Amino acid sequence: MKILTAAQTREADAYTIAHEPISSIDLMERAAGALVQWIEKEYGPEQPWYIFCGPGNNGGDGLAVARLLFQRAYDVQVVLVTEGQNHSPDFQQNLNRLPTEIPVTRTASPDDLPSLLSYAMVLDGLFGSGLSRPLVGLHAQAVQHINNSAATVIAIDLPSGLFADAPTPTDSAVVEADVTLSFERPKLAFLLPESGSFVGKWHVLPIGLHPDFLNKADSPYSLLTPERLKEVLKPRLKFTHKGTYGNALLVGGSYGKIGAITLAAKAALRAGVGLLTVQTPMVGYSILQVAVPEAMALSDAHEQHITAFPEEVNQYQCIGIGPGLGQAADTALALEKLFRQALPPLVLDADALNLLALDRQLLRNLPANSILTPHPKEFERLASPAKHDYHRLQLLKDFCQEHECYVVLKGYHTCIGTPTGECYFNTTGNPGMATGGTGDTLTGILAGLRAQGFSPLDTCLVGVYLHGLAGDLAAEQEGEYALIASDVTQYLGKAFQQLLQ
Ligand SMILES: NC(=O)C1=CN([C@@H]2O[C@H](COP(=O)(O)OP(=O)(O)OC[C@H]3O[C@@H](n4cnc5c(N)ncnc54)[C@H](O)[C@@H]3O)[C@@H](O)[C@H]2O)[C@@H](O)CC1
Ligand SMILES: [K+]
């Protein structure tokens, strides 16, 4: 699902109005209808609803919702914060249509703002995708008033004051929403940590924008949906054997960090790889044989860290390197030697990335189509420090293009960058997964899938989605606090089943 900019959303609205028998005011009515349908499903008419409206079409949506909720016997009041501003035509029409029984507060100063009880509901229709500058003055005071209350806040389209697809200036007041109901597509701002925290839980409400425009819209950003993955992940076929599903090699672990490579190994197996070999330093050999009997173990000559890769690397369909690897000088040399050979596909994580960051020549020799799985700090060591989230996205696109690689930038909405400059945002996963070891399981899953012959892009899309989904299924049982990386691996089977259904 493509993510559109605010400008593209406006074009989509205009295109729909031009190509369908629907007027702008009727499209607004459709949007309001979708909002009311969602509200009716979630909230009964018991609480008082305060509907804050700004001067544009976001406010127009708010007014239309006020009328529709009133018709359904909800207790609604409208708070207009439009002093001295021109109303958009559709706003004005909805203001004219507002039943006279609905109380309307026209805010001229902060003193006019109604007090909001803790059980009140606030619908934020101050500003939407038409926001063009920071919110200050009375608008900012209205936003602070909402934020200072304990009321439940539902934002229409996006929280007022938040820029949809550019950094929000720090001097702009922004509504802190509990829920955001976005039309047709989520905004890029929802998916990035600095802005996403204002959005609360977000839902996308389809309002029938023209599919031709949506399909043709040019955007580097997409949301990862299960529909796309169902085309890629197929049931296993009859008459296949372990040779059909690839042979993966995992290399990593060091004294005190054999657990990391063990977690990766278990996850690779649960991702369905046919055969798995794991190379650890000597200290890991017995541990691995006991902990993961399904894997074949290789021992490095060194007791505590990796100093060489196996000779015959081309017998493997993928090599995953990094979990628990450490950054010893001879490990770096081994990596450098490895990169001088023709290699099967690579998945690089953790200290393999840190070693790349320390040696720019090594990074320049990175084999094309490698998959890298950094968290933001590791990524910044590889690329350069980011000034803000949007800058980091640009760095991600540039890095993937320059090094012809796939980068899985880990986070709440993990973002997969491709050599052709696309970015795919994941929607599965939860804060319970923010603990040590879950990255190692992801490396194992990716190496396991890549060895089975999935393309690097499909490996990233399927692997990242399944990893998060397994975490979500695990959290349903264990809760987020108690969730550990092994739980993710344990629920991987259920995640596969859900995706294959
Ligand atoms: N037909 C359509 O175009 C549809 C639009 N929809 C709604 O319309 C919204 C977009 O409407 P608009 O484009 O009218 O934009 P907004 O309602 O977001 O606001 C635009 C107005 O606010 C003013 N403004 C912008 N930034 C300001 C600031 N910082 N301080 C004070 N005033 C500021 C502008 O001058 C303009 O008057 C969407 O977010 C959505 O809620 C929906 O009804 C779906 C259909
Ligand atoms: K809003």
Side-chain angles (χ1 to χ4, degrees):
M1 181 194 273
K2 291 257 176 66
I3 295 163
L4 308 184
T5 62
Q8 284 172 317
T9 310
R10 273 194 295 278
E11 284 172 44
D13 290 340
Y15 187 95
T16 307
I17 291 162
H19 290 81
E20 272 188 17
I22 189 161
S23 62
S24 169
I25 189 75
D26 288 340
L27 192 58
M28 183 173 282
E29 194 68 13
R30 214 193 260 174
L35 291 166
V36 167
Q37 205 182 11
W38 188 92
I39 289 170
E40 271 193 302
K41 248 192 346 206
E42 299 292 323
Y43 299 97
E46 303 80 29
Q47 301 107 313
W49 284 73
Y50 293 85
I51 304 184
F52 283 72
C53 300
N57 287 347
N58 199 247
D61 290 342
L63 291 170
V65 169
R67 166 170 39 80
L68 296 176
L69 286 180
F70 176 78
Q71 288 167 357
R72 287 159 177 76
Y74 280 65
D75 168 15
V76 293
Q77 347 194 348
V78 165
V79 184
L80 297 181
V81 192
T82 65
E83 195 59 13
Q85 287 189 285
N86 292 330
H87 295 164
S88 73
D90 292 347
F91 174 103
Q92 193 55 49
Q93 202 164 335
N94 271 306
L95 188 60
N96 299 343
R97 284 181 183 176
L98 200 69
T100 48
E101 296 88 337
I102 297 179
V104 177
T105 304
R106 289 172 197 274
T107 313
S109 87
D111 298 337
D112 300 330
L113 292 165
S115 50
L116 301 170
L117 298 167
S118 60
Y119 57 88
M121 302 295 298
V122 167
L123 201 57
D124 160 31
L126 289 170
F127 296 94
S129 57
L131 185 80
S132 55
R133 54 192 186 276
L135 286 187
V136 293
L138 187 57
H139 293 124
Q141 285 159 336
V143 168
Q144 293 312 348
H145 184 73
I146 293 171
N147 289 349
N148 290 341
S149 79
T152 302
V153 181
I154 300 178
I156 300 178
D157 208 19
L158 71 159
S160 297
L162 192 69
F163 284 49
D165 44 48
T168 299
T170 46
D171 58 348
S172 185
V174 183
V175 164
E176 291 159 15
D178 296 291
V179 176
T180 296
L181 303 175
S182 187
F183 297 126
E184 207 73 43
R185 296 293 159 97
K187 318 286 185 259
L188 189 53
F190 297 3
L191 307 171
L192 304 174
E194 285 159 8
S195 43
S197 55
F198 291 99
V199 175
K201 287 206 173 91
W202 55 266
H203 303 275
V204 172
L205 305 182
I207 56 166
L209 294 185
H210 206 292
D212 283 357
F213 185 94
L214 298 175
N215 293 338
K216 280 192 221 136
D218 191 19
S219 167
Y221 305 113
S222 300
L223 199 66
L224 201 45
T225 56
E227 292 71 37
R228 165 84 163 76
L229 304 177
K230 281 177 193 286
E231 290 168 21
V232 175
L233 191 70
K234 300 284 179 221
R236 283 162 93 115
L237 297 175
K238 278 162 76 171
F239 302 112
T240 53
H241 51 86
K242 65 188 175 195
T244 316
Y245 298 108
N247 189 354
L249 170 69
L250 288 174
V251 183
S254 53
Y255 182 74
K257 289 187 185 162
I258 300 301
I261 197 73
T262 307
L263 286 169
K266 288 183 177 173
L269 289 162
R270 289 280 183 205
V273 73
L275 286 166
L276 177 67
T277 305
V278 185
Q279 185 184 354
T280 64
M282 250 189 260
V283 64
Y285 185 80
S286 312
I287 300 170
L288 199 96
Q289 291 268 273
V290 174
V292 197
E294 296 87 350
M296 289 167 280
L298 293 176
S299 177
D300 195 277
H302 198 282
E303 176 68 21
Q304 300 205 343
H305 60 255
I306 295 289
T307 60
F309 287 84
E311 289 292 321
E312 303 287 326
V313 283
N314 280 304
Q315 62 180 301
Y316 304 106
Q317 280 72 58
C318 176
I319 313 180
I321 310 170
L325 185 69
Q327 297 181 38
D330 37 6
T331 308
L333 281 176
L335 202 55
E336 198 229 322
K337 198 169 150 211
L338 183 79
F339 279 13
R340 281 193 249 127
Q341 312 170 38
L343 289 175
L346 297 183
V347 175
L348 301 174
D349 182 30
D351 277 331
L353 302 176
N354 290 326
L355 291 174
L356 284 187
L358 289 171
D359 181 348
R360 304 317 280 184
Q361 186 56 43
L362 195 59
L363 183 57
R364 275 191 286 276
N365 292 344
L366 179 74
N369 292 322
S370 294
I371 297 172
L372 280 59
T373 61
H375 54 60
K377 274 276 161 310
E378 285 166 344
F379 176 68
E380 291 191 9
R381 279 181 217 132
L382 283 166
S384 59
K387 294 189 205 92
H388 48 71
D389 290 343
Y390 291 90
H391 183 215
R392 191 177 299 101
L393 268 188
Q394 189 56 48
L395 291 173
L396 176 69
K397 287 190 279 183
D398 294 347
F399 185 90
C400 291
Q401 283 176 308
E402 187 185 342
H403 298 283
E404 289 180 71
C405 64
Y406 294 79
V407 171
V408 175
L409 183 60
K410 295 183 282 197
Y412 182 70
H413 289 291
T414 289
C415 181
I416 299 155
T418 75
T420 45
E422 283 122 21
C423 295
Y424 295 84
F425 288 90
N426 189 32
T427 48
T428 57
N430 62 79
M433 297 170 76
T435 60
T438 52
D440 305 323
T441 61
L442 178 64
T443 303
I445 293 170
L446 296 176
L449 290 171
R450 188 78 176 99
Q452 288 172 69
F454 288 96
S455 72
L457 178 60
D458 288 346
T459 295
C460 294
L461 301 182
V462 174
V464 166
Y465 186 88
L466 280 175
H467 178 253
L469 181 57
D472 290 342
L473 295 170
E476 277 174 23
Q477 297 303 316
E478 316 293 338
E480 290 183 1
Y481 267 95
L483 194 81
I484 56 171
S486 300
D487 298 333
V488 176
T489 308
Q490 200 186 320
Y491 282 85
L492 202 53
K494 289 217 160 55
F496 267 105
Q497 283 173 324
Q498 189 163 317
L499 201 53
L500 283 165
Q501 259 167 24

